[in-house]
Amino acid sequence: MTDPFAAGPRALPHLVVPRRADDVRYKGRGGGQQRIRQIDDREGHARRLTDDLTDARDLALAQAADSEGPEAEGFTIRVEGWYDEPGYHLALSSLGSGGAELLTVLPAGPHQPERALVWMPFGEEKKFLRKLQQFATELTPSSGLPRNRALVANIKQIRLAILREFWQDAADFPESDEERWWEVWFAAHLGSEDPAGDARDAASALGLHTLDKALRFPDRAILQVRATPARLGDLLTTNAVIAELHGSPKTSEFLGGDPGTRATLVADLAERIETAGSDTPAVCLLDTGIMDKHRLLRDSVDAALTALPRTTCADIYGHGTQMAGLSLFDDLGAALAGSDKVTLRHRLESVKILHLDGASQNADPPFYGVTVAQAAALAETENPNRRRAFSMPITDGDGLNDGRPTSWSASMDALAFGTDIAVSPSGVTLLGRPDPRAARLFVVSAGNVNPIGLRGDYLDECDTSRIEDPAQAWNVLTVGAFTGLTEITGDGYADHRALAPAGELSPYSRTSGGWARMWPVKPDILMEGGNVVVTPDGQRDRHDDLELLTTRNTGDVTTANATSAATAQAARLCALVFDRYPALWPETVRGLLVHTAEWTPPMRRQITPKGLKKADRIRLLRRYGWGVPDEARVLASADDRVTMIVQDEFRPFEHGRSGISMRSLRMHRLPWPREQLHGLLGAEVELRVTLSYFVEPNPSNRGWSNYRYPSHQLRFDLKRPTETVEDFQHRVGNEANQEETDRSPRAPQQSQDKRWLIGPLNRKRGSLMSDVWVDAAAELAGSGWLAVVPVGGWWKDNKRSDRIDLPVRYSLIVTLRSKVAADIYTPIANEIGITTERAIET
């Protein structure tokens, strides 16, 4: 609640740099070489696969004839690779051609080959059978090799798919005969105008219960269906084409705590609050509701709404009101104990998305992708022009998230990207042409570990507890927790200690250490989440001194902890940035919090030692993110620490002879203080670069190579001191071409440079990347060019001509910091054309 610009005359605003980018021609290439298995008996191999496919078709026809649902128009086969000879990957793009539709790809595991599920319309299998025959009997004139060799040689077996093979979750497939809720993903682009309605009709014909709400993406329609596994499997015999199968999400939060102060302190503070104006930004809480009559909140709450039927906005559970206090005030302790006026710069909104009081085991399961979209629509309808940060500390509690997109996380990505929301009685559609100007900022908790009752190294517990759905979403700001709270007071606690040392990860915080390397590094940042006390005999418990003071739904105060509390504090920082810099985009605000985060000394000792392998740094990043943002750094630069912000957009795609191709990359000339850098000679300076952008999601598990989740991707790189600008352009263009050629997530694309802390090979995950370059000042003086380079995604792969003219937005945030006393702010401001005096007034 302090004003960083009031801290001293040289607390200076960040510099928003006018666009200084040039388009540079670039064409990405596709393709790449596939390793193909040698087949000596081509005729025998083709005959076995022919028998497999015809047997699968005949069985599917027989099952369809006996089905009670709408007549099936095709069947789904399982295509299996060679387990005994790994490395021979299935030709996925060929499997999804000739009328067939690739539905999902199941990667090879310790005891499983690579598998693909492919839907074939009845009759179209003849095209595939013809390809098998050509492999057996024909050679290509140009190479003399068998026709369709890449497709056929790497297939070991084909058979009719069964239900369990559509299962995508990390948990085991539910084998019991009990009814349960399933999240069923249907193929949505096979000619039907209403795929969700068709799937609901098919389920109804089989006597299966479905929820009225549905989610719709470009390639998927998602319904929740209640059935036993056997009854759900009957859908495979109908015209409803199942593509993926997931479990229905649960929710977990660990709440509670005793009141920390009495009503007299609350009343005193209420008299000292100066609320923000009605046109200021807001934190929009997506939670259990809010007690909007609380004395500390009531004058700051603009909207108290509910997205749930048959509920009010009242906060029966209490969690939403706890988060409201932290979102508005941060930790209330200092404000309650003080006597000064408290000036607020933002306001609150609340939309209830979770109602737990009296919940029944047989109640409809939550469908959070739909609920969050409805909640966003409610808030935006109430106040369409407001700048807001959506704060959502609600996560799925199964702890088995492996980083892959879900309906919930993909909905968050679509909403953040600016996809329009069409709400109807049957659900929510998220497939309209997105508008980047309608981008949204979501702040999401990483999910909690419950450390009470556990023993052993708590960091090991956190490292093996995976971040929960939907915090894997690419476009959101994912918040974990650290702690600086270690002091315990009160009688009877002399022999007790805090579990986590000051500055370490909070015992409540989850990590993404168990995810595959292709998925984004999460959490993005950490905020205070509290600690736990350890008794002399090793028991763990909560203590008020180790938690944050906040508002309670009874009208007084209480304590809060874990990643929920951390998320509320991060959302507050986002609202303050919107207030201070009203022209910044949501992409920029997310990037700025990550960019200005720093590791605490205990974290830094692990992450930054010389000689540490970059792969080990990534492992630690998946625990700590980029550290802890500081309010003063988030909101202000200084003489020797200058943050420059570029918001830019371009159109990287164009129509080529073979479809959509990449057109250009962007070259940014930085307003470099060369004279001052040369004057610092060998003194070290630190350059930090963060690139933040949003992607349009395309959720489906169909393989990274050919059916990518993001609409597009961007990379950044810095001109090396000894490179010419032309050499730099040539290098980054070649590296982008190489990445387009070999799309494997493990393939090297960019050359390493030891001056980068993370390095180009490791920082390219997700839609937010940051890195630090440390060098001598005089060396860095020759590096004043940054390139932003596009690589393809599903817009390009799927030849989406309706996206070719859609601008791609990005935020480039650069901080130059001198490690010796020096004024580098003034020359940079002058280079941009902003005097220091004007900057202070901004």
Side-chain angles (χ1 to χ4, degrees):
M1 288 174 285
T2 60
D3 186 346
F5 295 99
R10 302 303 295 185
L12 301 164
H14 301 317
L15 297 172
V16 180
V17 182
R19 296 181 196 168
R20 295 186 171 207
D22 299 317
D23 268 0
V24 177
R25 293 293 300 179
Y26 151 79
K27 277 193 177 286
R29 298 189 302 267
Q33 291 189 347
Q34 177 188 3
R35 188 180 176 204
I36 302 174
R37 190 176 185 275
Q38 177 63 38
I39 302 293
D40 295 326
D41 182 9
R42 288 163 33 217
E43 290 189 7
H45 182 64
R47 184 169 55 253
R48 285 189 295 273
L49 295 182
T50 297
D51 291 343
D52 286 350
L53 182 55
T54 53
D55 288 347
R57 178 201 59 199
D58 294 344
L59 179 57
L61 285 169
Q63 291 176 347
D66 294 336
S67 175
E68 299 172 359
E71 183 178 354
E73 299 170 357
F75 61 108
T76 300
I77 58 173
R78 164 178 154 153
V79 181
E80 184 177 303
W82 296 88
Y83 170 69
D84 52 339
E85 296 184 57
Y88 296 106
H89 295 292
L90 297 172
L92 300 179
S93 58
S94 297
L95 286 173
S97 63
E101 178 70 22
L102 181 66
L103 298 176
T104 189
V105 177
L106 306 172
H111 305 290
Q112 287 279 3
E114 182 182 28
R115 292 141 290 153
L117 300 183
V118 180
W119 183 79
M120 285 192 173
F122 287 124
E124 295 295 325
E125 77 278 0
K126 295 176 183 178
K127 297 178 181 178
F128 198 90
L129 292 170
R130 186 158 55 249
K131 291 179 180 180
L132 296 176
Q133 183 62 28
Q134 289 172 338
F135 171 78
T137 60
E138 299 180 22
L139 302 177
T140 58
S142 58
S143 65
L145 296 173
R147 284 194 182 278
N148 308 314
R149 174 171 166 262
L151 169 65
V152 180
N154 287 3
I155 298 174
K156 181 179 182 180
Q157 180 179 321
I158 298 172
R159 61 182 177 82
L160 189 66
I162 59 175
L163 184 71
R164 64 175 299 117
E165 291 165 348
F166 294 84
W167 182 250
Q168 300 292 322
D169 290 1
D172 291 338
F173 177 80
E175 298 284 3
S176 72
D177 291 333
E178 296 179 359
E179 279 196 344
R180 54 170 286 145
W181 284 101
W182 308 78
E183 193 176 272
V184 188
W185 296 32
F186 295 93
H189 57 298
L190 300 178
S192 172
E193 295 183 359
D194 183 14
D198 292 345
R200 189 179 284 110
D201 290 344
S204 177
L206 295 173
L208 306 181
H209 179 53
T210 63
L211 293 189
D212 292 337
K213 297 177 180 178
L215 268 176
R216 175 76 187 274
F217 293 94
D219 287 351
R220 293 290 180 262
I222 303 175
L223 289 178
Q224 290 192 321
V225 182
R226 187 170 180 83
T228 65
R231 291 293 290 152
L232 189 68
D234 292 341
L235 273 175
L236 295 175
T237 67
T238 72
N239 67 347
V241 181
I242 296 178
E244 300 178 26
L245 194 61
H246 299 259
S248 190
K250 301 174 290 297
T251 301
S252 69
E253 283 296 337
F254 304 101
L255 309 172
D258 297 325
T261 62
R262 298 273 48 100
T264 52
L265 291 175
V266 172
D268 175 67
L269 175 57
E271 293 297 322
R272 293 185 279 115
I273 296 173
E274 184 178 306
T275 57
S278 60
D279 60 344
T280 53
V283 171
C284 183
L285 300 157
L286 307 179
D287 209 310
T288 61
I290 190 172
M291 183 194 177
D292 56 342
K293 299 298 189 290
H294 195 293
R295 294 193 65 173
L296 300 181
L297 305 175
R298 61 190 180 191
D299 293 332
S300 293
V301 178
D302 284 341
L305 309 167
T306 179
L308 303 176
R310 301 179 299 280
T311 67
T312 69
C313 62
D315 184 17
I316 299 171
Y317 199 50
H319 191 244
T321 305
Q322 289 176 309
M323 297 308 107
L326 293 171
S327 298
L328 194 61
F329 299 101
D330 203 357
D331 189 349
L332 270 174
L336 283 168
S339 58
D340 295 335
K341 185 171 289 292
V342 174
T343 302
L344 301 175
R345 293 190 177 85
H346 66 291
R347 301 183 64 81
L348 292 178
E349 301 169 334
S350 170
V351 186
K352 179 187 272 189
I353 66 168
L354 178 64
H355 183 74
L356 295 177
D357 184 66
S360 168
Q361 185 176 2
N362 295 320
D364 290 345
F367 200 1
Y368 288 117
V370 170
T371 305
V372 172
Q374 291 173 325
L378 284 171
E380 290 169 348
T381 300
E382 190 80 9
N383 194 333
N385 300 317
R386 163 163 276 165
R387 291 154 290 150
R388 59 174 55 84
F390 291 96
S391 176
M392 194 182 74
I394 306 299
T395 57
D396 180 348
D398 65 14
L400 297 174
N401 176 30
D402 61 4
R404 285 182 291 177
T406 62
S407 64
W408 192 0
S409 72
S411 296
M412 306 295 291
D413 280 334
L415 291 166
F417 190 68
T419 302
D420 197 14
I421 305 169
V423 182
S424 69
S426 63
V428 174
T429 297
L430 300 173
L431 52 70
R433 178 182 167 90
D435 180 2
R437 296 168 298 179
R440 302 172 177 93
L441 177 59
F442 287 95
V443 186
V444 178
S445 64
N448 297 333
V449 178
N450 182 7
I452 309 302
L454 299 178
R455 291 179 178 267
D457 187 335
Y458 88 89
L459 285 174
D460 287 343
E461 296 161 4
C462 294
D463 285 341
T464 56
S465 298
R466 296 177 178 178
I467 282 175
E468 293 178 332
D469 186 24
Q472 75 273 29
W474 288 42
N475 296 340
V476 306
L477 179 68
T478 301
V479 186
F482 89 112
T483 189
L485 302 175
T486 58
E487 297 297 322
I488 308 168
T489 61
D491 296 336
Y493 286 93
D495 296 330
H496 293 60
R497 64 178 177 85
L499 176 60
E504 254 296 356
L505 194 72
S506 167
Y508 293 102
S509 196
R510 289 177 172 266
T511 69
S512 63
W515 291 0
R517 60 179 294 178
M518 71 182 69
W519 301 121
V521 173
K522 299 283 185 172
D524 298 306
I525 60 170
L526 306 174
M527 299 292 288
E528 178 64 66
N531 210 336
V532 297
V533 67
V534 182
T535 65
D537 63 354
Q539 299 295 319
R540 301 177 185 178
D541 204 353
R542 297 178 60 174
H543 192 285
D544 286 347
D545 288 349
L546 303 181
E547 300 188 352
L548 296 151
L549 200 60
T550 186
T551 47
R552 188 179 186 183
N553 65 339
T554 58
D556 57 1
V557 294
T558 185
T559 56
N561 60 26
T563 60
S564 295
T567 300
Q569 296 167 84
R572 172 183 170 271
L573 282 183
C574 292
L576 293 180
V577 174
F578 277 131
D579 174 68
R580 180 64 66 182
Y581 303 99
L584 295 189
W585 300 336
E587 300 96 312
T588 313
V589 177
R590 175 186 70 151
L592 187 59
L593 261 69
V594 171
H595 184 81
T596 53
E598 292 187 356
W599 297 302
T600 64
M603 301 172 195
R604 184 169 289 278
R605 283 194 291 270
Q606 298 179 67
I607 292 176
T608 61
K610 292 184 178 180
L612 184 68
K613 293 180 180 178
K614 287 182 169 56
D616 292 330
R617 287 202 178 104
I618 290 293
R619 178 179 57 81
L620 291 167
L621 273 177
R622 289 191 178 276
R623 174 193 288 176
Y624 298 123
W626 278 96
V628 185
D630 172 78
E631 185 173 330
R633 285 194 307 269
V634 169
L635 296 180
S637 291
D639 284 327
D640 58 355
R641 189 190 70 249
V642 188
T643 295
M644 297 161 273
I645 300 171
V646 177
Q647 298 185 135
D648 202 358
E649 65 179 36
F650 71 125
R651 291 172 172 80
F653 301 108
E654 67 180 0
H655 281 293
R657 285 176 294 181
S658 58
I660 295 177
S661 60
M662 307 304 293
R663 181 182 67 86
S664 63
L665 55 88
R666 299 287 276 174
M667 291 286 291
H668 289 270
R669 182 175 66 83
L670 300 174
W672 231 221
R674 288 179 176 79
E675 182 178 340
Q676 283 71 21
L677 289 172
H678 282 298
L680 294 174
L681 299 175
E684 278 194 343
V685 292
E686 180 182 284
L687 176 73
R688 181 158 179 183
V689 181
T690 299
L691 177 64
S692 177
Y693 63 100
F694 289 167
V695 299
E696 185 182 11
N698 187 24
S700 64
N701 185 20
R702 293 189 288 176
W704 184 264
S705 307
N706 298 287
Y707 298 91
R708 287 177 274 188
Y709 175 77
S711 50
H712 62 283
Q713 293 183 275
L714 301 177
R715 310 281 184 253
F716 74 80
D717 209 341
L718 179 72
K719 187 181 87 66
R720 296 168 183 166
T722 57
E723 281 182 314
T724 66
V725 176
E726 291 74 18
D727 288 343
F728 175 47
Q729 293 176 6
H730 183 70
R731 174 171 64 83
V732 295
N734 282 344
E735 288 169 352
N737 278 333
Q738 182 183 355
E739 182 165 358
E740 279 293 286
T741 299
D742 189 346
R743 297 179 181 177
S744 166
R746 296 181 177 273
Q749 280 88 31
Q750 292 174 282
S751 55
Q752 287 283 36
D753 191 307
K754 293 182 179 179
R755 286 166 289 200
W756 287 113
L757 182 66
I758 304 302
L761 300 184
N762 294 307
R763 67 180 178 231
K764 64 187 185 66
R765 300 166 176 85
S767 62
L768 188 151
M769 57 199 69
S770 191
D771 211 342
V772 177
W773 172 298
V774 178
D775 206 346
E779 287 291 307
L780 198 58
S783 300
W785 284 87
L786 269 169
V788 174
V789 185
V791 293
W794 69 267
W795 281 0
K796 175 175 176 287
D797 295 342
N798 293 6
K799 299 179 174 58
R800 290 301 294 259
S801 58
D802 59 332
R803 299 297 195 265
I804 191 171
D805 61 341
L806 196 66
V808 167
R809 300 200 322 182
Y810 63 88
S811 300
L812 194 61
I813 308 172
V814 181
T815 291
L816 190 61
R817 177 159 62 180
S818 171
K819 297 193 175 183
V820 298
D823 178 12
I824 55 178
Y825 186 99
T826 301
I828 292 176
N830 290 339
E831 173 72 14
I832 297 171
I834 302 174
T835 65
T836 304
E837 289 75 16
R838 279 180 56 205
I840 294 173
E841 294 170 359
T842 301

